[in-house]
Amino acid sequence: MNYKQLKIFAVCSMVFDHVIRIFPLAGMLAPLADFSWSRGYGGLADWLLDSLTYYLMYIGRLAAPVFLYCIVQGFLHTSNLRRYLGRILLTAVIAQVPYTLFELAEQRLCGIAGDWRETSLNILFTLALGLCVLAVHKWLKDRGLVFLSPLSVALATWLAMRLNMEGGQGYVILVWVYYIARNRPRWQKALLYLPAVMLSRRGLILWVVESLGTAELTMALQNCLLNVLGNYFGMLLTLADNGEKGRAGKGFQYAMYAFYPAHFALLALIGFLLPPLA
């Protein structure tokens, strides 16, 4: 799989994840479940509305790790880091309004009174911060101070959490791990990625521990597995990169930048036009 194909897969995974937030999977599978019930297959109907909806959500969890990987590849191959960072930040700023409207539309459909001030910053801000971490890492390494790099990662993670960036609790860590492990064999990367993703999702793991012996354990465990294993599978997917760029010219690059805010705007519009689900 070349770089272009990997990026297209990540975009499709992202779109799937966002679409099912406006059109819930249970609602889309309901007609098929009703048909199964009418034919006497109640067990199949329960599986469709419960297990299948849960497993399909893993598809959406593959996107973020691939985008994090792409930002590392962009750092390695860009000829102008400032311009690259500027494009990401500009797109992040443009996308923030439709991203906020998308989250408000989702909350409206669920019968929740959303507050735009509580909306997180979209993932492009997180990617830009990760890019800065890599630049600092390289600067420290060139001066023989690479041992300070984990401190810069910790500070960036703290900043991402303070600014409420999407995935800020751990995505910066994954960007850094991708970079420092880039020249290792695939099997070593696979081993390094697991503790990295567990550290990036430490809050969910602590939730499981705190839920032991309570009625909340099942929910906590399912959420933890979805976000830890889902992200780990996404990291493993990047191992399929064959090192080829593919036909990804300027047109494809700009289309990717434009698509991000555009798909949020479209889904937000649909979300505000649909009747609330609750």
Side-chain angles (χ1 to χ4, degrees):
M1 184 182 295
N2 61 41
Y3 179 76
K4 180 179 180 180
Q5 292 168 338
L6 195 61
K7 203 163 191 177
I8 290 174
F9 177 88
V11 169
C12 292
S13 174
M14 175 191 70
V15 171
F16 176 83
D17 187 53
H18 293 161
V19 166
I20 63 175
R21 289 170 61 178
I22 300 298
F23 301 98
L25 281 169
M28 289 191 283
L29 292 174
L32 184 57
D34 290 341
F35 177 79
S36 300
W37 271 108
S38 68
R39 291 294 184 269
Y41 299 108
L44 176 60
D46 290 339
W47 180 81
L48 287 170
L49 296 177
D50 187 11
S51 299
L52 183 59
T53 55
Y54 174 74
Y55 294 137
L56 287 175
M57 289 176 68
Y58 276 86
I59 297 174
R61 296 304 184 272
L62 301 175
V66 177
F67 284 125
L68 300 176
Y69 174 80
C70 289
I71 208 69
V72 175
Q73 295 303 304
F75 175 77
L76 291 171
H77 296 103
T78 186
S79 58
N80 190 321
L81 181 59
R82 290 185 179 180
R83 187 177 299 172
Y84 181 42
L85 178 61
R87 286 198 302 268
I88 295 173
L89 284 174
L90 177 61
T91 309
V93 172
I94 294 172
Q96 189 58 34
V97 171
Y99 174 79
T100 301
L101 292 173
F102 165 75
E103 292 216 337
L104 292 176
E106 179 192 14
Q107 292 168 355
R108 172 186 171 274
L109 289 173
C110 296
I112 301 172
D115 186 343
W116 67 269
R117 292 166 295 186
E118 296 178 359
T119 304
S120 62
L121 295 177
N122 66 73
I123 197 173
L124 290 184
F125 286 102
T126 315
L127 296 180
L129 183 59
L131 195 61
C132 292
V133 166
L134 298 184
V136 171
H137 174 89
K138 187 175 184 302
W139 185 87
L140 291 172
K141 185 177 181 180
D142 291 343
R143 288 157 181 77
L145 299 172
V146 71
F147 63 91
L148 294 176
S149 186
L151 178 60
S152 69
V153 176
L155 289 173
T157 301
W158 174 83
L159 180 62
M161 293 175 65
R162 292 288 295 177
L163 295 178
N164 193 23
M165 294 183 181
E166 184 180 357
Q169 297 88 340
Y171 283 174
V172 173
I173 296 173
L174 298 186
V175 169
W176 184 69
V177 170
Y178 272 135
Y179 183 77
I180 64 173
R182 67 191 184 281
N183 294 323
R184 294 184 178 274
R186 284 192 173 98
W187 69 269
Q188 290 186 11
K189 290 179 181 179
L191 291 177
L192 286 171
Y193 290 168
L194 183 57
V197 77
M198 291 177 68
L199 179 61
S200 73
R201 294 294 188 173
R202 60 195 179 279
L204 292 176
I205 296 174
L206 289 175
W207 183 22
V208 172
V209 174
E210 293 169 356
S211 301
L212 292 174
T214 70
E216 201 177 49
L217 178 60
T218 300
M219 181 188 298
L221 187 58
Q222 287 184 338
N223 204 314
C224 182
L225 289 174
L226 177 64
N227 289 283
V228 173
L229 289 181
N231 279 180
Y232 182 60
F233 293 152
M235 296 187 78
L236 292 181
L237 183 64
T238 65
L239 299 178
D241 184 6
N242 59 16
E244 297 178 4
K245 185 177 181 181
R247 296 183 178 179
K250 290 292 184 181
F252 174 78
Q253 182 185 75
Y254 291 133
M256 290 294 98
Y257 283 118
F259 181 80
Y260 186 70
H263 92 283
F264 278 130
L266 177 60
L267 289 174
L269 176 61
I270 295 172
F272 279 110
L273 291 176
L274 290 174
L277 301 173

